[in-house]
């Protein structure tokens, strides 16, 4: 039986292409075949660039400097709100679709410059607002349990990676849109701190809160992907010396209760930290009441400004998004969205690490099991807000603070879905976060793909791929 590169990591693929053990064209063809079978079940992609991707792969194979391409021949997906030349920015629905892009966004240009091949663009909820991914044309499903959402707003990207449709994916994160899907789908998802990766998301990067990031099945793939997005040479992660890590279960949203599986996940992660030689101490950030109200106002206003800048017709939007946009316009008129408030929370967040003498913070990634995949785009604004806040309250504060944060898997819930935890660090701690996540990976390896999809390092002929 002919081997397939579906299920291999990005680093394994790039190494094989650079050595001449396979070709970018073969790798891309393998993934397009897998995608043709898997995506009708998951609805992860908005557009698949079949023929165009093969042509791109052939051009990679023709390059003479493969040794200098960290992502040589690696198939990648791009979130549909980020410009890929020749495609419109769909932004989550036909009503929000923008014109065809004439050139790639800078992060896409960097991925291609590193040798990656864009297979297509992945689905998101309308204007990236929601923590579930669907629109009237289809519902994106979680490969671990197809009756559940893969999260949002980078839900299509997470579903594609968890099912092995691509080895890793580009995503972006304004209020948790990388980390929430990572937790839903058992992936490593990293949101860098402010200024590490060029943003250029929507009208104004959601007032500077939104960042481009990576969804991957391994820490090594997340690290190389982030390095490429940041315009840096990938570097080997250094084993961290003894760290002091604050452990906090406190919800940023009053009244939101943490369920037992997510509580247990934090306990598991704490034990892994201690086993790795670190100190885990209990310490809670103080989330001021104003953070919740001002944060919501900023969220509403960011979406409103995106809609206005794109010249979208509010009447054509989904009812839930329409109300979000209207509330954002109201918040802007009333002066409820202020840079001074965001700066104060950023300062308070940075001070947390110095005041408590800690290097990093560990929190739950989610508060509850991901919601059902059931056409949330047709439900009310209130229903969507309630569902989103109840299951995913832990990510947004670190967008407002502009701090780096990642989600790493630590097990499986009793309902069969994966469970993860969030690590947050001070400015400039991206590599440290990845290094600690790497220690988790070595000590307690996770299943890289959902059970019904490709297994780690497994070829169709039963051979294993060199790690």
């Amino acid at each position: 039986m002919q081997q397939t590169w579906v299920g291999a990591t990005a680093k394994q693929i790039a190494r094989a292409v650079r050595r001449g053990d396979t070709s970018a064209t073969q790798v891309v063809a393998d993934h397009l075949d897998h995608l043709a079978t898997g995506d009708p079940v998951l609805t992860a992609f908005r557009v698949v660039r079949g023929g165009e991707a093969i042509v791109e792969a052939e051009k990679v194979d023709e390059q003479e400097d493969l040794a200098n391409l960290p992502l040589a021949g690696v198939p990648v997906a791009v979130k549909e709100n980020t410009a890929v030349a020749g495609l419109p920015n769909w932004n989550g629905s036909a009503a929000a679709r923008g014109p065809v892009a004439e050139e790639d966004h800078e992060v896409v240009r960097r991925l291609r410059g590193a040798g990656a091949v864009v297979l297509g663009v992945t689905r998101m909820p309308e204007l990236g607002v929601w923590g579930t991914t669907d629109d009237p044309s289809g519902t994106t499903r979680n490969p671990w349990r197809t009756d559940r959402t893969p999260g949002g707003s980078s839900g299509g990207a997470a579903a594609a990676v968890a099912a092995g449709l691509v080895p890793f994916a580009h995503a972006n994160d304004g209020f948790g849109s990388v980390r929430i899907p990572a937790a839903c789908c058992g992936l490593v998802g990293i949101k860098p701190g402010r200024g590490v990766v060029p943003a250029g998301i929507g009208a104004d990067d959601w007032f500077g809160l939104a960042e481009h990031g990576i969804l991957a099945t391994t820490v090594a793939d997340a690290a190389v992907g982030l390095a490429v997005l940041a315009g840096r040479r990938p570097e080997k992660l250094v084993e961290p010396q003894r760290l002091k890590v604050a452990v906090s279960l406190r919800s940023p949203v009053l009244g939101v209760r943490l369920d037992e599986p997510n509580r247990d996940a934090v306990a598991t992660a704490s034990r892994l930290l201690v086993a790795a030689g670190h100190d885990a101490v209990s310490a809670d950030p103080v989330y001021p009441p104003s953070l919740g109200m001002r944060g919501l106002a900023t969220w509403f206003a960011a979406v409103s400004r995106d809609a206005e800048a794109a010249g979208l017709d509010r009447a054509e939007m989904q009812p839930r998004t329409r109300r979000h946009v209207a509330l954002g316009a109201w918040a802007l008129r009333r002066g409820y969205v202020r840079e001074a408030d965001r700066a104060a929370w950023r300062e308070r967040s940075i001070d947390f690490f110095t005041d408590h003498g800690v290097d990093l913070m560990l929190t739950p990634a989610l508060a509850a099991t991901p919601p059902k995949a059931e056409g949330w785009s047709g439900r009310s604004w209130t229903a969507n807000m309630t569902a989103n806040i109840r299951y995913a309250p832990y990510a947004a504060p670190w967008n407002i603070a502009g701090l780096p944060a990642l989600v790493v898997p630590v097990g499986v819930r009793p309902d069969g879905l994966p469970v993860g935890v969030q690590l947050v660090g001070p400015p400039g701690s991206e590599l440290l976060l990845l290094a600690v996540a790497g220690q988790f990976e070595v000590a307690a390896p996770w299943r890289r793909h959902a059970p019904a999809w490709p297994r780690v390092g497994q070829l169709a002929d039963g051979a294993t791929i060199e790690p």
Side-chain angles (χ1 to χ4, degrees), residues 7-340:
T9 69
K11 290 197 73 172
Q12 288 167 344
I13 290 169
R15 183 184 298 114
V17 171
R18 289 195 297 265
R19 287 178 176 175
D21 296 338
T22 188
S23 67
T25 306
Q26 183 61 56
V27 171
V28 168
D30 288 346
H31 283 83
L32 286 172
D33 287 345
H34 181 50
L35 194 156
T37 302
D39 198 50
V41 177
L42 301 175
T43 320
F45 280 81
R46 178 76 65 179
V47 175
V48 177
R49 304 174 66 252
E52 298 98 323
I54 291 293
V55 171
E56 283 186 24
E58 291 171 347
K59 291 180 179 177
V60 171
D61 288 329
E62 293 169 358
Q63 293 192 39
E64 297 180 356
D65 62 343
L66 288 179
N68 295 318
L69 299 180
L71 297 177
V74 176
V76 67
V78 174
K79 189 174 175 180
E80 65 175 338
N81 66 345
T82 303
V84 175
L87 295 178
N89 281 16
W90 282 84
N91 291 314
S93 74
R97 183 176 63 185
V100 171
E102 296 183 2
E103 59 184 16
D104 290 336
H105 186 287
E106 177 61 18
V107 296
V108 178
R109 188 190 69 79
R110 291 181 180 185
L111 286 168
R112 282 179 160 152
V117 177
V118 178
L119 291 199
V121 294
T122 52
R123 289 177 177 258
M124 57 184 268
E126 191 169 62
L127 293 181
V129 181
W130 310 105
T132 54
T133 300
D134 66 83
D135 68 16
S137 71
T139 297
T140 304
R141 300 184 178 277
N142 192 320
W144 287 78
R145 272 187 54 180
T146 55
D147 66 323
R148 293 287 165 170
T149 183
S153 65
S154 305
V161 175
L165 307 188
V166 286
F168 78 155
H170 156 270
N172 42 48
D173 188 318
F175 259 58
S177 292
V178 168
R179 290 158 290 150
I180 293 169
C184 291
C185 294
L187 303 173
V188 180
I190 183 163
K191 176 198 83 71
R194 192 169 297 163
V196 174
V197 174
I201 303 167
D204 58 2
D205 309 326
W206 279 25
F207 297 97
L209 276 58
E211 305 289 348
H212 292 287
I214 291 291
L215 286 160
T217 65
T218 69
V219 172
D221 279 3
V224 70
L226 181 63
V228 168
L229 295 190
R232 302 171 179 170
R233 292 293 302 175
E235 55 186 289
K236 187 174 182 179
L237 296 176
V238 177
E239 186 85 3
Q241 299 299 311
R242 186 171 183 173
L243 303 173
K244 188 175 180 182
V245 181
V247 180
S248 175
L249 299 177
R250 177 177 292 173
S251 171
V253 180
L254 289 175
V256 173
R257 300 289 297 273
L258 183 66
D259 73 4
E260 202 63 29
N262 281 292
R263 186 180 298 272
D264 290 346
V266 175
T268 297
S270 298
R271 290 193 293 270
L272 291 173
L273 286 169
V274 173
H278 306 306
D279 297 319
V281 298
S282 179
D284 292 320
V286 178
Y287 300 108
S290 61
L291 177 68
M293 297 307 297
R294 299 291 184 182
L296 286 173
T298 301
W299 183 24
F300 303 155
V303 179
S304 181
R305 286 173 62 148
D306 275 2
E308 181 181 6
L312 303 181
D313 185 346
R314 191 182 301 181
E316 295 182 1
M317 296 178 190
Q318 297 158 13
R320 59 177 184 167
T321 312
R322 192 182 310 143
R323 183 170 179 189
H324 216 79
V325 168
L327 285 169
W330 175 82
L332 287 166
R333 289 195 303 270
R334 297 296 295 267
Y336 290 154
V337 183
R338 300 195 297 248
E339 172 59 30

